[in-house]
Amino acid sequence: MSEMVNFGLSNVHFSSLEFASGAYTFQTPEAHPGSINLKMDANFETTEVYADNTIYYVTKNNKGYDCALEVVMLKEDFEKKYLGFKTTADGEIVETSDGKFKDFALLFQVETDEQPNKYILYRNSITKKPSYEFKTLEDKTEIATVTIEFKSLPLMDGSKAIKAKCPPTAKNYATYFTTAPKSPTFTEAAA
């Protein structure tokens, strides 16, 4: 039987990446527990060219996704690595006005009615500082969450890869979250 439905987000990991001499180097993914929701809106444009009284040609431009990841809390390590926060001599984690955002790869798992699939968004660039909202305690506890907004962009190494799905039959399924990702190499030519 084939998969019928997707549900559940888990095993969110971040991986640092560097781009030099036309190639990417990824680091071993690091877990970021506490993920609530990942929203991925396609950033895809088409332009229709009219000729001979009809749509003659359609251009397509796949720019990736506009994404938002909601988490219970941002880990300090994420704030330092990807948001440019700094540590003081007293051990405080400080946001500075000159902190630089750093691109990352995002790996995660989605449950299905069969076995979970694992995914990677290869190159992600933060587009907005996270917003925070803290409230006083009332008659019931409301958990504050944080949302990270980012663009998932194509790799610039010639593969043009944006995301990949790792089904349970893939060779790297068992080690997906424990080994450094790599740019894809294709076994078939693009159509």
Side-chain angles (χ1 to χ4, degrees):
M1 184 173 176
S2 63
E3 299 167 353
M4 303 283 290
V5 294
N6 289 321
F7 56 89
L9 170 68
S10 63
N11 282 327
V12 169
H13 287 67
F14 292 94
S15 171
S16 297
L17 69 135
E18 298 292 332
F19 184 67
S21 302
Y24 285 93
T25 304
F26 296 87
Q27 299 303 311
T28 302
E30 296 179 71
H32 195 290
S35 295
I36 296 169
N37 184 50
L38 173 62
K39 183 174 184 183
M40 299 169 49
D41 290 326
N43 188 348
F44 185 82
E45 295 176 352
T46 60
T47 302
E48 297 172 344
V49 178
Y50 287 83
D52 299 328
N53 297 322
T54 188
I55 297 174
Y56 188 76
Y57 186 75
V58 178
T59 63
K60 299 165 189 80
N61 189 359
N62 184 356
K63 297 178 183 178
Y65 296 90
D66 293 323
C67 302
L69 176 65
E70 182 183 9
V71 297
V72 174
M73 269 180 96
L74 286 177
K75 289 175 53 176
E76 290 174 1
D77 198 40
F78 181 90
E79 292 175 325
K80 291 189 283 187
K81 274 188 180 176
Y82 305 111
L83 296 176
F85 287 25
K86 299 174 183 169
T87 305
T88 68
D90 293 329
E92 295 174 300
I93 311 299
V94 178
E95 176 184 3
T96 62
S97 64
D98 63 347
K100 303 279 188 248
F101 292 167
K102 185 176 178 193
D103 287 358
F104 58 88
L106 178 70
L107 296 87
F108 57 95
Q109 179 172 306
V110 175
E111 307 302 318
T112 74
D113 54 318
E114 296 287 322
Q115 289 185 299
N117 289 309
K118 299 174 182 180
Y119 293 86
I120 182 170
L121 297 173
Y122 286 103
R123 178 177 156 233
N124 304 287
S125 186
I126 296 171
T127 57
K128 185 177 174 185
K129 278 177 40 174
S131 296
Y132 303 89
E133 181 179 0
F134 305 105
K135 294 181 178 182
T136 190
L137 284 176
E138 296 177 0
D139 57 338
K140 58 183 175 180
T141 303
E142 220 176 292
I143 304 297
T145 63
V146 180
T147 300
I148 308 157
E149 294 183 26
F150 57 95
K151 286 193 177 291
S152 185
L153 305 166
L155 290 177
M156 300 182 299
D157 61 359
S159 72
K160 300 180 182 178
I162 298 168
K163 76 172 178 155
K165 172 183 172 182
C166 181
T169 55
K171 292 178 185 176
N172 59 338
Y173 185 83
T175 59
Y176 209 66
F177 299 128
T178 58
T179 57
K182 54 187 176 183
S183 292
T185 52
F186 301 106
T187 57
E188 54 196 46

